[in-house]
Amino acid sequence: MKVLITGSAGFIGSALALRLLERGDEVVGIDNLNDYYDVNLKQARLARTLEHPGYSDVRLDLEDREGVARVFAEHEPQRVVNLAAQAGVRYSLENPHAYVDTNLVGFVNILEGCRHNGVEHLVYASSSSVYGSNTRMPFSVHHNVDHPVSLYAASKKANELMAHTYSHLFRLPTTGLRFFTVYGPWGRPDMALFLFTRKILAGEPIDVFNYGRHRRDFTYIDDIVEGVIRVLDRIPEPNPDWDSDAPDSATSNAPYRLYNIGNNEPVELLHYIEVLEDCLGRKAQMNMLPLQPGDVPDTYADVSDLVRDVGYKPATTVEEGVARFVDWYRDYHRV
């Protein structure tokens, strides 16, 4: 089939595009190659997909309404995966307008493209950040998530609400995926693993927030991609048991679904750093700091709905995943 992927030069987008191309799908990739982080890394990721004959490359901002409409009309994708977003919790404190432009305006342009061009299924990235102030663990898609603690999280919650509206009004099948701390080869330089690796190898101290007591449901990139593909292949249908007197936030009487994709096994940040030290053969110098505004202490994904509906659960351990990242990092940066 023909799949449109936004954020195709991104960490998850490029890995997903490769997997879809390898199984014989056509991929139309949209990315604006913005400079939120190293553009050279984005171009290196993109180079892996550009050599495939089934790949079409489009340079575009999602907030360009006419441009997005033109891509849908020209390429006629059957399914869409929206991964493009202004990412990062901390950056949302400094530049909130970037999150409105891409995550809200850009997303409604994608929804409109899907609506007017007969798209069979829209899958879009949400985030574990939507759980905000929730402390009941593990986080379930059936829990209330009305208390975000960053604008980034609020924009992702808004995406879920916007998608539901289009599923309800126009019967557009939509599935939101709440990703939990994705890491691995070709990852984002603003994420902890990348930052820690670079600084430890350079002999520089690393900033360890919440005094290392964070617990994160670290999820390896290959596991994320497998989950996305399985969900993409399963078009959601209305839940016949949905009850408006006791509404379930993860399903609907419209063709709408939400899933967590996480490793279902939280790891303390200090242990994560120990694993990285073992892989690098070096000890980290640590600046112990308090919890940052907008961050949450712990994340832990309940993935039972994902297992039930698509028969899949992420399973890569941090020991395996961090080792693969370090091998890639040393090769990519020749260190």
Side-chain angles (χ1 to χ4, degrees), residues 96-146:
H97 293 96
Y99 293 77
V100 173
D101 293 342
T102 303
N103 301 7
L104 300 182
V105 176
F107 190 59
V108 81
N109 289 340
I110 293 297
L111 286 167
E112 280 289 282
C114 293
R115 169 195 172 190
H116 291 294
N117 292 275
V119 167
E120 298 169 353
H121 188 192
L122 167 63
V123 175
Y124 61 94
S126 185
S127 168
S128 61
S129 298
V130 300
Y131 290 102
S133 295
N134 290 21
T135 54
R136 182 180 165 198
M137 300 281 177
F139 292 150
S140 168
V141 288
H142 306 286
H143 292 168
N144 178 287
V145 289
D146 285 345

Side-chain angles (χ1 to χ4, degrees), residues 14-191:
S14 63
L16 175 64
L18 277 174
R19 282 286 303 280
L20 291 175
L21 289 164
E22 285 165 3
R23 76 172 194 176
D25 293 326
E26 290 181 70
V27 174
V28 179
I30 294 179
D31 206 291
N32 65 359
L33 290 182
N34 69 37
D35 60 359
Y36 171 64
Y37 62 79
D38 184 12
V39 174
N40 291 322
L41 176 59
K42 295 181 180 183
Q43 290 173 330
R45 292 187 192 126
L46 199 56
R48 301 182 301 161
T49 52
L50 287 173
E51 61 192 32
H52 284 264
Y55 186 79
S56 300
D57 186 42
V58 179
R59 199 67 59 246
L60 185 69
D61 289 321
L62 288 195
E63 50 268 44
D64 178 352
R65 186 193 305 180
E66 293 180 358
V68 171
R70 191 163 53 247
V71 170
F72 273 90
E74 179 181 338
H75 291 278
E76 298 180 330
Q78 293 157 276
R79 302 191 187 180
V80 175
V81 184
N82 185 68
L83 300 171
Q86 178 56 61
V89 168
R90 291 163 195 157
Y91 186 62
S92 67
L93 278 66
E94 303 166 21
N95 191 358
H97 293 96
Y99 293 77
V100 173
D101 293 342
T102 303
N103 301 7
L104 300 182
V105 176
F107 190 59
V108 81
N109 289 340
I110 293 297
L111 286 167
E112 280 289 282
C114 293
R115 169 195 172 190
H116 291 294
N117 292 275
V119 167
E120 298 169 353
H121 188 192
L122 167 63
V123 175
Y124 61 94
S126 185
S127 168
S128 61
S129 298
V130 300
Y131 290 102
S133 295
N134 290 21
T135 54
R136 182 180 165 198
M137 300 281 177
F139 292 150
S140 168
V141 288
H142 306 286
H143 292 168
N144 178 287
V145 289
D146 285 345
H147 298 89
V149 295
S150 70
L151 186 65
Y152 170 69
S155 73
K156 290 299 186 177
K157 166 68 172 175
N159 286 171
E160 296 175 1
L161 298 173
M162 294 159 75
H164 182 269
T165 303
Y166 274 68
S167 294
H168 172 74
L169 290 174
F170 310 114
R171 312 316 285 177
L172 170 66
T174 67
T175 303
L177 301 177
R178 294 174 178 170
F179 296 140
F180 280 69
T181 315
V182 189
Y183 74 100
W186 298 96
R188 280 175 27 211
D190 62 319
M191 297 291 282

Side-chain angles (χ1 to χ4, degrees), residues 211-216 218 265-274:
Y211 308 103
R213 293 196 296 265
H214 277 101
R215 290 194 316 150
R216 288 288 181 268
F218 295 103
E265 193 169 322
V267 172
E268 190 172 71
L269 182 58
L270 284 177
H271 176 66
Y272 195 61
I273 293 169
E274 287 171 7

Side-chain angles (χ1 to χ4, degrees), residues 217-276:
D217 212 337
F218 295 103
T219 313
Y220 189 66
I221 180 62
D222 291 359
D223 291 348
I224 289 284
V225 169
E226 179 65 26
V228 173
I229 289 175
R230 292 200 185 205
V231 168
L232 180 66
D233 288 344
R234 184 183 187 276
I235 298 176
E237 295 180 352
N239 177 4
D241 300 319
W242 195 82
D243 181 1
S244 58
D245 287 335
D248 168 25
S249 59
T251 66
S252 176
N253 57 5
Y256 172 87
R257 284 292 186 282
L258 290 174
Y259 296 106
N260 288 330
I261 300 189
N263 219 45
N264 191 230
E265 193 169 322
V267 172
E268 190 172 71
L269 182 58
L270 284 177
H271 176 66
Y272 195 61
I273 293 169
E274 287 171 7
V275 172
L276 178 58

